[in-house]
């Protein structure tokens, strides 16, 4: 699938024929891009970024500086690999995943929630390592790579999850599936149908299995509801409500409405992360059908706090990204 997606990117760029690739339409360039060693099994590298590194004017920096950055990056990733090995040695997570009957018999609702939380953390750290090593090697050669996966605990919006976890795959689907299907002026219905095709591709990409289908369908519903809420907030009545209500109350209402979607997205991803339909179904039952209404209120309360933390982390990231640009402007002035 990785090679097929890179072949699609190359062919689409050949059809569009931008000026930047006028001299990169030969078989050697095609084979070099499709079978580029560092990212052969992920992440998805943009064709334009690969061609930019082939340009004679590409600035790669001194060799010693690049080698030092490569060593520092690989050392950091080795630390994360040790974290994975240590967790597997102490927690026996995979043994629990392959014994869903024992999990249901021995664990209560909150223990299962903790196991699911750890599954998300382990999944993220695994991708940090598996994508980090290829990206470090590609960056050493001067190739621009996709953004690294963001921590799943800091993302409460599933549209942001798809943007920032596997950024290369997101850009591929946005440019080659969602964008062409939407067209220049998409209607809401056409945008929704394009999203349905995207998540059908996600289902095929990750494996044609029932628990993957459930996960992809739930993702589609959650993303569609988020977009519907954004459209309502941008409507005339929504803008009037925003003018009347203060910013703090708007944020609380937004987090309150996002908490149930956050719960659904969390429990639906367990089957995908663990690759176990039985454990995914157990997480759905325990998460969405608690023993009492008090348990559900407590759960939504925790998730409400998680959404608020997610907003703060997102704002902190935006401020941190904006600060270097402001400093550059001050230097130019």
């Amino acid at each position: 699938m990785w090679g097929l997606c890179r072949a699609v990117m190359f062919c689409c760029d050949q059809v569009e024929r931008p000026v930047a690739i006028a001299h990169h339409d030969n078989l050697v360039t095609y084979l070099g891009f499709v079978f580029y060693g560092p990212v052969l099994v992920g992440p998805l590298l943009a064709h334009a970024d690969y061609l930019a590194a082939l340009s004679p004017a590409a600035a790669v920096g001194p060799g010693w500086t690049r080698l030092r950055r490569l060593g520092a990056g690989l050392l950091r990733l080795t630390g994360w690999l040790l974290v994975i090995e240590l967790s597997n040695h102490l927690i026996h997570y995979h043994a629990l995943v392959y014994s869903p009957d024992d999990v249901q018999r021995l664990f209560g609702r909150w223990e299962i929630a903790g196991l699911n939380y750890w599954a998300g953390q382990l999944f993220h750290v695994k991708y940090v390592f598996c994508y980090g090593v290829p990206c470090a090697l590609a960056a050493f050669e001067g190739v621009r790579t996709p953004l690294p996966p963001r921590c799943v605990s800091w993302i409460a919006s599933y549209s942001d999850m798809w943007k920032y976890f596997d950024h290369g795959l997101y850009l591929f689907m946005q440019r080659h599936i969602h964008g062409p299907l939407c067209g220049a002026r998409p209607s809401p219905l056409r945008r929704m149908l394009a999203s349905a095709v995207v998540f059908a591709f996600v289902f095929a990409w990750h494996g044609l299995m029932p628990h993957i289908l459930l996960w992809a369908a739930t993702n589609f519903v959650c993303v569609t509801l988020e977009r519907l809420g954004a459209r309502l907030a941008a409507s005339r009545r929504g803008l009037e409500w925003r003018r009347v209500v203060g910013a703090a109350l708007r944020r609380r209402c937004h987090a309150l409405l996002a908490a149930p979607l956050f719960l659904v997205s969390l429990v639906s991803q367990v089957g995908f992360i663990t690759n176990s339909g039985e454990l995914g179904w157990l997480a759905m039952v325990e998460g969405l059908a608690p023993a009492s209404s008090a348990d559900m209120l407590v759960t939504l309360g925790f998730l409400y706090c998680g959404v608020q933390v997610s907003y703060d982390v997102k704002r902190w990231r935006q401020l941190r990204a904006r600060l270097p640009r402001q400093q550059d402007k001050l230097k130019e002035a």
Side-chain angles (χ1 to χ4, degrees):
M1 288 293 286
W2 298 103
L4 178 61
C5 290
R6 284 190 286 268
V8 168
M9 284 190 279
F10 182 89
C11 294
C12 287
D13 280 347
Q14 293 303 318
V15 171
E16 295 173 2
R17 298 294 298 178
V19 178
I21 68 167
H23 304 291
H24 295 285
D25 57 353
N26 52 67
L27 181 62
V28 175
T29 305
Y30 168 77
L31 294 176
F33 174 62
V34 173
F35 298 103
Y36 182 53
V39 295
L40 193 60
V41 290
L44 273 178
L45 182 68
H47 185 218
D49 293 334
Y50 176 78
L51 294 182
L54 299 181
S55 173
V60 296
W64 172 249
T65 302
R66 292 186 290 122
L67 185 61
R68 185 175 57 187
R69 290 177 181 172
L70 174 63
L74 294 179
L75 184 62
R76 179 178 60 86
L77 292 169
T78 302
W80 284 120
L81 179 62
L82 293 176
V83 169
I84 296 174
E85 293 298 327
L86 185 63
S87 67
N88 290 335
H89 179 70
L90 297 177
I91 299 179
H92 305 289
Y93 160 75
H94 292 287
L96 294 173
V97 167
Y98 288 108
S99 303
D101 294 335
D102 293 335
V103 171
Q104 186 174 12
R105 178 172 55 87
L106 299 175
F107 289 176
R109 184 168 182 264
W110 291 106
E111 288 84 358
I112 294 175
L115 178 65
N116 295 338
Y117 176 82
W118 182 249
Q121 297 301 308
L122 192 62
F123 184 77
H124 168 250
V125 174
K126 182 183 75 172
Y127 266 79
V128 166
F129 178 80
C130 293
Y131 278 6
V133 173
C135 287
L137 296 174
F140 175 75
E141 296 184 341
V143 180
R144 184 182 176 185
T145 56
L147 297 174
R150 287 192 181 178
C151 179
V152 295
S153 298
W154 293 356
I155 303 178
S157 168
Y158 239 65
S159 56
D160 285 348
M161 178 71 76
W162 281 104
K163 279 182 185 178
Y164 300 121
F165 190 83
D166 194 338
H167 192 62
L169 180 61
Y170 166 77
L171 293 177
F172 172 82
M173 295 188 298
Q174 186 69 22
R175 181 182 177 188
H176 298 290
I177 302 177
H178 191 268
L181 290 176
C182 284
R185 295 182 178 179
S187 63
L189 179 60
R190 187 170 181 176
R191 189 182 294 272
M192 185 178 69
L193 292 177
S195 297
V197 175
V198 166
F199 282 103
F201 171 79
V202 169
F203 171 50
W205 173 275
H206 289 95
L208 302 176
M209 292 175 283
H211 58 278
I212 302 296
L213 175 62
L214 177 62
W215 168 71
T218 307
N219 275 250
F220 167 69
V221 172
C222 290
V223 171
T224 302
L225 291 176
E226 287 180 5
R227 286 180 177 170
L228 178 61
R231 288 187 62 86
L232 291 176
S235 64
R236 183 174 60 86
R237 291 186 179 275
L239 293 176
E240 292 176 356
W241 179 80
R242 290 168 66 91
R243 284 194 294 267
V244 174
V245 179
L249 184 57
R250 284 203 311 269
R251 172 169 164 161
R252 295 190 187 102
C253 293
H254 192 281
L256 193 63
L257 293 174
L261 284 180
F262 193 21
L263 173 62
V264 174
S265 64
L266 286 176
V267 298
S268 66
Q269 71 181 3
V270 175
F272 163 68
I273 292 176
T274 62
N275 199 27
S276 171
E278 296 181 8
L279 199 58
W281 180 252
L282 177 61
M284 293 280 286
V285 172
E286 293 292 338
L288 302 179
S292 64
S293 57
D295 283 349
M296 178 59 76
L297 290 176
V298 171
T299 302
L300 291 177
F302 276 117
L303 294 177
Y304 170 84
C305 296
V307 173
Q308 293 282 12
V309 171
S310 173
Y311 292 162
D312 286 333
V313 172
K314 186 176 181 179
R315 181 172 176 271
W316 170 73
R317 282 183 174 273
Q318 292 172 346
L319 292 175
R320 191 179 66 169
R322 196 179 303 145
L323 184 60
R325 293 195 295 267
Q326 293 175 350
Q327 292 175 347
D328 293 339
K329 290 181 180 179
L330 291 176
K331 290 179 181 178
E332 293 174 359

